[in-house]
């Protein structure tokens, strides 16, 4: 399993409509395909989605750090030397999506080499994940119409509502419209992407106390240390840390300081290896974990399903696995399918996915 090449291939696929939320807007999936080659002819794949407004990475920076720094460090190593590989990656500060994609591609290599699905290597708890769909910024009527369409077409009954605009009018109005339009048998939770202050968050939650919300995610910045702790103490539903917990040390800080009492795990920023460590922290401290979404394409979505289905804790809640529906195309030969509100893991070795060479040639940006 000696590594012979690490590729970073930029590609761009337009979205059918912009995805809007408090910290940014996405019109095109400007992602990076990562491929790890071995001397045995095995190729592992993963996807790195840049989020400059969250972690500072761009498509260009991911390509550069992999090609110029990470690839030369890893060529010649065995894919099984995961701890040594991580030690070399962590010599470089930051770059979470680049590191995560390399980690997941290595797991794909190991699974393919052993002829075993990665989800079984990780834990093999169940064979599918329930899906949560993100409802982005729009008018309340449009948000309700989208949620109703997604429920009708895909059987999804859990919805994450993006808030963080005007808390006392538009955001509350949108959540109330969704509850009225979808009924009581649908799960709703909110994500502020750090768009509110602690006091705005407290008032908005109070005004929505009758809506049966199940989670509140990153309503205000982690830098609002005292305000956030004050908010969590009075919040009657789990307060989920997301952007503020990109590393295990940050997970410990947020949980032990009382600034959060649930964690969003995103394989796009912590891969499989570090995500396992975050999950162990959650289990050890008795807090809930949610499988989040980095606005992944189908490759990243399948990675989330592979990890989320592998463990009991992460499979208890619906995972955020549907953002790829808004992309106009993708790179897989066998697309991800949502059936009856779930995505199933695949029985093929590794991640169970293959890249369509014609689509890659069409969308890659470095030809």
């Amino acid at each position: 399993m000696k590594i012979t090449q690490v590729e970073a291939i930029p590609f761009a696929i337009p979205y059918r409509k912009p995805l809007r939320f408090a910290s940014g807007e996405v019109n095109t999936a400007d992602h990076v395909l990562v491929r790890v080659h071995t001397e045995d002819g095995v190729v592992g794949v993963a996807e790195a989605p840049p989020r400059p407004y969250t972690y500072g990475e761009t498509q260009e920076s991911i390509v550069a750090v992999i090609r110029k720094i990470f690839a030369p460090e890893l060529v010649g190593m065995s894919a099984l030397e995961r701890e040594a590989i991580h030690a070399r990656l962590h010599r470089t500060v930051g770059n979470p999506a680049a590191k995560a994609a390399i980690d997941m591609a290595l797991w794909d290599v190991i699974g393919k080499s052993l002829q075993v699905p990665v989800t079984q290597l990780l834990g093999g708890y169940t064979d599918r994940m329930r899906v949560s769909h993100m409802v982005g910024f729009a008018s309340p009527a449009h948000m309700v119409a989208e949620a109703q369409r997604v429920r009708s077409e895909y059987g999804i009954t859990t919805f994450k509502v993006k808030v963080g605009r005007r808390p006392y009018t538009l955001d509350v109005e949108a959540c109330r419209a969704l509850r009225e339009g979808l009924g009581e048998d649908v799960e709703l939770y909110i994500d502020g992407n750090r768009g509110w202050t602690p006091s705005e968050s407290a008032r908005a939650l109070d005004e929505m106390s009758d809506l049966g919300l199940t989670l509140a995610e990153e309503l205000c910045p982690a830098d609002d240390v005292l305000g956030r702790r004050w908010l969590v103490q009075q919040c009657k539903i789990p307060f989920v840390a997301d952007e503020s917990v990109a590393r295990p040390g940050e997970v410990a800080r947020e949980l032990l300081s009382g600034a959060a009492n649930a964690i969003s795990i995103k394989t796009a920023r912590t891969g499989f290896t570090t995500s396992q460590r975050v999950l162990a922290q959650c289990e050890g401290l008795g807090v809930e974990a949610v499988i989040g979404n980095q606005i992944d394409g189908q490759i990243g979505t399948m990675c989330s399903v592979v990890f989320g289905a592998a463990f009991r804790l992460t499979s208890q809640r619906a995972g955020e696995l549907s953002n790829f529906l808004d992309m106009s195309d993708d790179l897989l030969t066998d697309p991800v399918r949502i059936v009856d509100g779930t995505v199933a893991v695949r029985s093929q070795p590794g991640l169970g996915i293959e890249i369509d060479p014609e689509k890659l040639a069409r969308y890659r940006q470095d030809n």
Side-chain angles (χ1 to χ4, degrees):
M1 294 190 202
K2 184 177 290 186
I3 299 168
T4 57
Q5 184 183 9
V6 180
E7 290 185 281
I9 303 171
F11 67 93
I13 299 176
Y15 276 83
R16 294 188 180 94
K17 63 181 181 66
L19 299 180
R20 297 189 175 95
F21 36 92
S23 59
E25 177 179 312
V26 176
N27 295 277
T28 303
D30 294 310
H31 294 183
V32 179
L33 176 68
V34 175
R35 295 198 290 206
V36 176
H37 300 253
T38 70
E39 62 182 353
D40 311 304
V42 176
V43 181
V45 301
E47 174 184 35
R51 295 295 167 254
Y53 42 78
T54 305
Y55 308 113
E57 290 175 288
T58 65
Q59 186 181 62
E60 293 80 8
S61 76
I62 290 173
V63 170
V65 77
I66 291 177
R67 289 180 179 176
K68 296 181 179 180
I69 298 177
F70 294 155
E73 288 283 341
L74 302 187
V75 168
M77 299 185 71
S78 167
L80 293 172
E81 297 178 284
R82 289 185 297 110
E83 282 297 296
I85 287 171
H86 273 268
R88 294 193 180 189
L89 294 178
H90 290 316
R91 292 173 184 168
T92 302
V93 175
N95 299 281
K99 294 173 181 176
I102 290 173
D103 176 77
M104 293 186 289
L106 287 168
W107 277 91
D108 192 30
V109 165
I110 294 168
K112 288 175 177 176
S113 299
L114 298 177
Q115 290 295 297
V116 177
V118 169
T119 193
Q120 292 184 8
L121 291 175
L122 289 168
Y125 180 74
T126 186
D127 65 349
R128 65 193 61 244
M129 283 282 292
R130 289 187 298 118
V131 177
S132 170
H133 180 72
M134 184 190 85
V135 184
F137 286 173
S139 69
H142 279 87
M143 293 170 74
V144 172
E146 178 192 349
Q148 290 174 333
R149 177 187 64 80
V150 168
R151 179 173 63 176
S152 175
E153 290 186 22
Y154 301 103
I156 295 172
T157 58
T158 300
F159 294 91
K160 173 178 180 172
V161 186
K162 289 293 187 179
V163 296
R165 296 174 288 182
R166 297 191 298 276
Y168 312 138
T169 54
L170 193 54
D171 287 328
V172 171
E173 180 185 351
C175 290
R176 194 164 295 282
L178 283 162
R179 175 55 74 204
E180 292 173 357
L182 297 172
E184 297 298 324
D185 59 341
V186 163
E187 178 182 353
L188 296 178
Y189 62 103
I190 57 174
D191 177 11
N193 291 113
R194 314 179 305 281
W196 292 343
T197 67
S199 60
E200 287 174 335
S201 301
R203 178 176 168 183
L205 286 171
D206 184 62
E207 293 190 11
M208 295 187 290
S209 61
D210 62 326
L211 299 184
L213 301 178
T214 58
L215 300 168
E217 180 177 312
E218 293 287 25
L219 300 183
C220 49
D223 288 346
D224 296 339
V225 178
L226 295 180
R228 183 154 153 155
R229 190 181 307 169
W230 167 80
L231 173 64
V232 172
Q233 287 173 346
Q234 59 182 308
C235 187
K236 296 180 180 179
I237 56 178
F239 190 97
V240 183
D242 177 14
E243 298 98 321
S244 59
V245 289
R247 298 180 292 111
E250 294 171 341
V251 174
R253 178 199 67 199
E254 292 299 288
L255 292 177
L256 296 179
S257 71
N261 46 26
I263 297 296
S264 176
I265 298 176
K266 293 183 175 178
T267 56
R269 71 174 172 227
T270 44
F272 295 147
T273 301
T274 304
S275 292
Q276 284 181 297
R277 292 168 180 162
V278 172
L279 177 61
Q281 289 177 290
C282 294
E283 290 176 331
L285 292 170
V287 301
E288 293 191 73
V290 179
I291 292 296
N293 192 293
Q294 199 75 357
I295 318 182
D296 304 307
Q298 294 188 24
I299 302 170
T301 297
M302 205 64 230
C303 288
S304 295
V305 174
V306 161
F307 184 86
F311 303 99
R312 181 188 62 83
L313 183 60
T314 46
S315 62
Q316 287 179 329
R317 285 193 173 274
E320 296 162 10
L321 307 170
S322 65
N323 283 151
F324 72 88
L325 294 175
D326 291 317
M327 291 174 61
S328 60
D329 202 352
D330 218 293
L331 299 183
L332 298 187
T333 57
D334 182 13
V336 174
R337 294 176 176 83
I338 301 174
V339 180
D340 295 330
T342 67
V343 176
V345 299
R346 297 179 174 180
S347 58
Q348 296 96 325
L351 298 175
I353 59 177
E354 292 185 12
I355 303 301
D356 185 319
E358 293 184 1
K359 289 187 176 183
L360 179 58
R362 184 185 314 157
Y363 295 117
R364 68 185 297 166
Q365 302 293 292
D366 60 348
N367 288 334

